Amino acid sequence: MGTAQIIATALAAVVTLVAVGLAVRAVRQMTAVIRLGGPDPARFTDKGTRARTMLVETAGHTRMLKWSVVGAAHWFVMVAFVVLSLLVLEAYFEVVDPDLGLPVIGHWTVFGLVTEWIGVLGMVGILVLVVIRQRARRAPRSRFTGSTMWQGYFVEAIIVAVLVCGFLIRGFKVATDHFEYPVWATPVSHAVGAVLPAWSDGATWTALVKICISMAWLITISLTVTMGVAWHRFLAFPNIFFKRAPEKPAGSGLGALRPMMSNGEPLDFEEADPEKDQFGVAQVEQFTWKGLLDFSTCTECGRCQSQCPAWNTAKPLSPKLLVLSLRDHAYAKAPYLLAGGGKDLTGEEKATEAQLAHMDVLALAEGNRPLIGTEAEQGVIDPDVLWSCTTCGACVEQCPVDIEHVDHIVDMRRYQVLIESSFPAEAGVMLRNLENKGNPWGAPQNTREDWTKGLDFEVPRVGEKDFEYLFWVGCAGAFEDRAKKTTRAVATLLHEAGVDYAILGEGETCSGDPARRIGNEFIFQMLAQQNVETLQEAGVKKIVATCPHCFNTLGNEYEQLGLKVEVVHHTQLLAHLVKAGRLTPVQPIEGDVTYHDPCYLGRHNRVFDAPREVLGEAATLVEMPRNSERSFCCGAGGARMWMEEKIGKRINVERTEEALATGAKTIAVGCPFCYTMIGDGVTGKGEQENVEVVDVATVLLRSLKQDA
Ligand code: SF4
Ligand code: SF4
């Protein structure tokens, strides 16, 4: 060992000890913060599926590759990072003796070949990501707005620097004739070696530089535990492993909303006690540990932000910024909580002022910030942010590390509604109507069957005859004029196809979706319980629903209350009836048709094809740029239908403009709320004489009967 090797080895050891010491401290700090969250035992089930999903999503980049160029570039950067770790490890051998390599694989030609090309492709990948970021950030409200840009560039610069060092080390070995790999396997290293001097200590000092750069990265991220762009390389694995619905690797994992939890168990309102049970989330530490892991894992990539209808129409909500605010607050408040500070469920302080007297003033101030509050109140999340969400799920769908934004938003809404009674005033009428009349419009229950009047056939009620499908009409389908047209069209089609169906009529009440999405779990459970009993008494096995919100609630959420039935959307049943030859379109309708995917049918339940199959038989379909998984919300979900939209551009106008730009004469919908929102959008644009909004069922019916 020469002098250069002795000095380089000593320096590498010192810098590594410092970096590893700080990294251990950082990991302990992050673990302590995540452990502040509440219990969530359901995350430990089905470990085999979880492990499989985690491997598929990470190694296969299934989420990232939905954006092909970025996904491919990121895949190479990820693999380069793994290879890079091996090369950094190799540098520890090289500072001792440049001829040493990793045990077993160190001098293997395949190792030389793979590391060479992954290094090159990793650098190309980083270049692509930098260019994409530079171009994207110029747009106003881009996906990078609000991201900590220096952190992304810092991480990328480090990877490039380490890869460059790797090629220089190899180059010096080539120049001094100490390189073991052939030219065919490592042409770049040989090319670099051809221009470098034959400096015998070149590889040693470059290996030291490589170690110092890598440790500078480790030190920096250890001192910045909220640097998600770096930490997600480690945290993404557990975050994906513990995702809510691991059996849905290709989907969004949405569908059912997470039930309201207290102490790790779903809360039953018949036994709930506000002094002992948690009603939603009032403080950041009341999220579960998985929530805090979510916030820690955010990479700040802004994919969620780029798809969010609220953000894209100039509202204050961005799912990314919401997550970052919660993350920064959690880490800033943690010292206060770890010192015993915080409030119990009754709002009482857990520690006295004297006990917290030693506390850093910033942590103390953070501890006293309200979770929901305006800027003047120093709230972490502004109420306008909280109430802007349509629960469309575009954020969850896009997030490459499976962060569950919608559950967190609804948990915060639950506390605001149930304990604080604080929500947009105009939604109060809807909640009162649900409680007193069983429907959001407050219509008399005895008018639920009015839509059947004038039909030239009898609509059977449950109890009158045997039936295969219960036709769940829904409140909109029963009371709202436009939606009633869909109900009548579906009933007519079922009748024509000879389907055995029946309706509940006055026995039906609201499924509870708007109550649950606004955060009123109490009313949801009341309505859901009543419906579950009715459906069980009627012996229902299969349901067909025209409203995707009912379809989602009945099919995915009533299971939480003990009802398990097969639920299909009417477009699925109609597609089946057309395929089976029980409905035969005879003449396509005039003009092109474009289809708007309802969020709760498409993204939340992956029904993309059935409505398109029906429309394909009955018309010429033209797609909007944002369709299927990337469809843009109409603005009505998350109980937004019942709230005024005072900030920014109206979401339904944005979507209607996109639909009108296709030149289609018909905009087909599959949801009564989308029907209203897009219909209003078309009227607002003065296009009601030229463009018609109708349900998929109506399009099909018209292609069967030209006089329909
Ligand atoms: S659910 Fe939709 S509206 Fe809500 S934050 Fe996510 S993308 Fe935005
Ligand atoms: S998509 Fe996920 S990781 Fe990316 S910014 Fe949004 S929450 Fe963070």
Side-chain angles (χ1 to χ4, degrees), residues 288-571:
T288 66
W289 60 264
K290 176 60 171 64
L292 296 175
L293 180 60
D294 269 2
F295 309 149
S296 308
T297 309
C298 177
T299 72
E300 306 193 21
C301 69
R303 285 167 172 238
C304 54
Q305 181 168 289
S306 74
Q307 305 294 303
C308 175
W311 179 258
N312 278 295
T313 51
K315 301 193 174 39
L317 166 65
S318 145
K320 176 186 76 179
L321 299 179
L322 177 123
V323 166
L324 298 187
S325 300
L326 292 170
R327 177 197 69 189
D328 293 345
H329 174 59
Y331 280 82
K333 189 179 180 184
Y336 166 79
L337 295 169
L338 291 167
K343 292 190 173 97
D344 64 19
L345 289 171
T346 62
E348 288 294 310
E349 293 290 347
K350 288 182 187 165
T352 62
E353 266 182 39
Q355 285 168 315
L356 296 171
H358 65 286
M359 175 93 343
D360 171 81
V361 284
L362 287 178
L364 202 54
E366 199 69 32
N368 288 317
R369 283 180 76 189
L371 186 65
I372 307 297
T374 59
E375 204 179 339
E377 294 161 344
Q378 297 191 318
V380 179
I381 304 293
D382 192 281
D384 282 336
V385 168
L386 188 67
W387 297 109
S388 289
C389 180
T390 67
T391 69
C392 72
C395 47
V396 184
E397 171 80 31
Q398 287 300 328
C399 182
V401 292
D402 281 324
I403 288 170
E404 295 160 357
H405 317 67
V406 176
D407 287 337
H408 304 320
I409 289 171
V410 174
D411 268 338
M412 290 187 281
R413 285 183 174 187
R414 284 169 172 161
Y415 182 83
Q416 293 302 308
V417 171
L418 294 170
I419 302 296
E420 300 281 339
S421 284
S422 172
F423 52 86
E426 61 274 17
V429 178
M430 178 270 286
L431 289 173
R432 271 196 301 282
N433 285 336
L434 284 181
E435 208 169 356
N436 301 328
K437 304 272 184 170
N439 70 82
W441 283 272
Q445 188 70 352
N446 61 9
T447 59
R448 264 201 189 263
E449 296 177 26
D450 282 4
W451 64 270
T452 61
K453 289 179 186 161
L455 288 173
D456 56 8
F457 57 90
E458 274 298 306
V459 175
R461 278 87 180 152
V462 166
E464 290 175 3
K465 58 175 273 208
D466 288 343
F467 60 92
E468 183 185 3
Y469 284 96
L470 177 92
F471 178 17
W472 182 274
V473 174
C475 301
F479 302 121
E480 205 276 329
D481 284 342
R482 278 181 273 208
K484 278 201 261 185
K485 290 185 201 163
T486 305
T487 313
R488 291 162 66 88
V490 172
T492 307
L493 289 164
L494 296 182
H495 175 75
E496 299 255 332
V499 174
D500 290 322
Y501 74 97
I503 59 168
L504 281 170
E506 292 181 27
E508 194 183 297
T509 59
C510 175
S511 67
D513 164 87
R516 190 168 229 202
R517 263 70 199 171
I518 205 172
N520 198 324
E521 191 72 3
F522 173 74
I523 294 183
F524 165 72
Q525 285 196 18
M526 184 187 83
L527 294 167
Q529 201 61 55
Q530 189 179 334
N531 284 323
V532 166
E533 281 164 24
T534 307
L535 292 166
Q536 281 170 339
E537 266 169 36
V540 173
K541 298 275 180 298
K542 290 183 187 175
I543 296 176
V544 55
T546 52
C547 171
H549 298 268
C550 298
F551 163 71
N552 178 64
T553 306
L554 295 166
N556 295 321
E557 300 190 340
Y558 279 13
E559 204 178 330
Q560 294 164 3
L561 292 146
L563 181 80
K564 211 167 166 36
V565 286
E566 182 189 335
V567 186
V568 293
H569 187 246
H570 69 286
T571 56

